[in-house]
Amino acid sequence: TGALSKGVSANPIHLKIYSPKVLSLTMVDLPGLTKVAIKGQPEDIADQILQINVQYGSNPNAILLAVTGANTDLASSDALKLARELDPRGDRTIGVLTKLDLMDPGTDVGEIMHNRVIPLRRGYIAVVNRGQRDIDADLSIQVGLRNEERYFRTHPVYSRDRSISGKCGTMNLARNLNGILIHHIRDCLPELKIRIANMMGDVQSELD
């Protein structure tokens, strides 16, 4: 769409990462929902982004990460709203809270993490990512993860509540996702075996 375009495309960019330090997961990073087009974007950019999110989120095998900034009103989260529409039962939705380090002093997301504000069947995970200043300063991912671990370990609320500490951090998010996928694969195996058996039967009938 041009080097200066700020539009989006439904054609995915595939990036494979090989490392002994990561779990075997397939992630789809979708464009964030928006309401108003900015300079360089088509007028229907909001609809384009929504359709891309719906396209991938409608896959019943996909786990939805409803990402919301902790420094915003959770009730106005477009991500949670869309996740509820795509996954009414909440079987495959995890709330992800970001920007905890940007919250006002003396505030925290303890009530949300305890699932008391907008309950989700699979609950919430809190993370602290690298900021734009960190990225511009070429702060590595590993250093960012160590900074995140230190933030939660020294926080007066998250470090003392054991029911919350296991839901904090990028590594806990990755482990949570891996566990969900393992259970999902296990649940899908019986149906998959039936489908394979039927396909083998059809092929055998053609051969006969």
Side-chain angles (χ1 to χ4, degrees):
T1 57
L4 300 179
S5 173
K6 296 181 180 179
V8 296
S9 172
N11 298 323
I13 298 174
H14 296 277
L15 176 64
K16 292 186 177 181
I17 300 176
Y18 299 91
S19 170
K21 299 180 181 179
V22 299
L23 297 173
S24 181
L25 296 171
T26 298
M27 301 288 294
V28 180
D29 186 15
L30 298 172
L33 299 172
T34 186
K35 293 184 175 67
V36 180
I38 62 174
K39 185 178 180 180
Q41 292 182 332
E43 288 300 318
D44 65 341
I45 186 69
D47 291 333
Q48 289 187 36
I49 292 176
L50 176 61
Q51 291 308 312
I52 293 174
N53 278 265
V54 170
Q55 174 188 343
Y56 285 94
S58 297
N59 181 354
N61 294 320
I63 305 300
L64 307 180
L65 298 184
V67 181
T68 304
N71 58 341
T72 62
D73 183 8
L74 192 67
S76 63
S77 170
D78 291 326
L80 283 176
K81 180 177 180 293
L82 181 58
R84 280 189 169 181
E85 295 174 2
L86 299 175
D87 178 32
R89 294 178 53 187
D91 292 332
R92 53 193 186 91
T93 299
I94 299 176
V96 179
L97 301 173
T98 64
K99 302 181 180 179
L100 279 75
D101 52 328
L102 300 182
M103 295 181 68
D104 293 335
T107 62
D108 59 76
V109 293
E111 289 296 297
I112 299 176
M113 298 292 287
H114 281 296
N115 231 4
R116 295 169 182 159
V117 180
I118 299 180
L120 292 178
R121 186 170 182 177
R122 295 194 178 275
Y124 295 83
I125 300 287
V127 299
V128 175
N129 298 320
R130 294 177 300 165
Q132 189 59 50
R133 184 180 300 176
D134 296 328
I135 296 174
D136 293 340
D138 202 25
L139 187 78
S140 70
I141 293 177
Q142 291 302 318
V143 172
L145 290 174
R146 287 198 295 269
N147 290 343
E148 178 191 50
E149 188 275 334
R150 185 185 307 111
Y151 172 85
F152 286 118
R153 175 167 45 82
T154 59
H155 193 277
V157 174
Y158 311 132
S159 63
R160 297 176 182 177
D161 191 335
R162 292 185 178 180
S163 63
I164 289 181
S165 59
K167 303 175 184 178
C168 294
T170 302
M171 298 307 297
N172 280 325
L173 174 60
R175 280 190 285 267
N176 197 303
L177 283 173
N178 196 55
I180 291 175
L181 287 176
I182 289 174
H183 286 294
H184 185 72
I185 292 172
R186 183 192 62 190
D187 294 339
C188 290
L189 278 178
E191 180 183 351
L192 183 60
K193 289 180 179 178
I194 294 174
R195 290 173 58 187
I196 293 175
N198 291 336
M199 291 172 63
M200 291 178 63
D202 293 340
V203 172
Q204 188 63 47
S205 298
E206 293 180 4
L207 293 175
D208 294 341

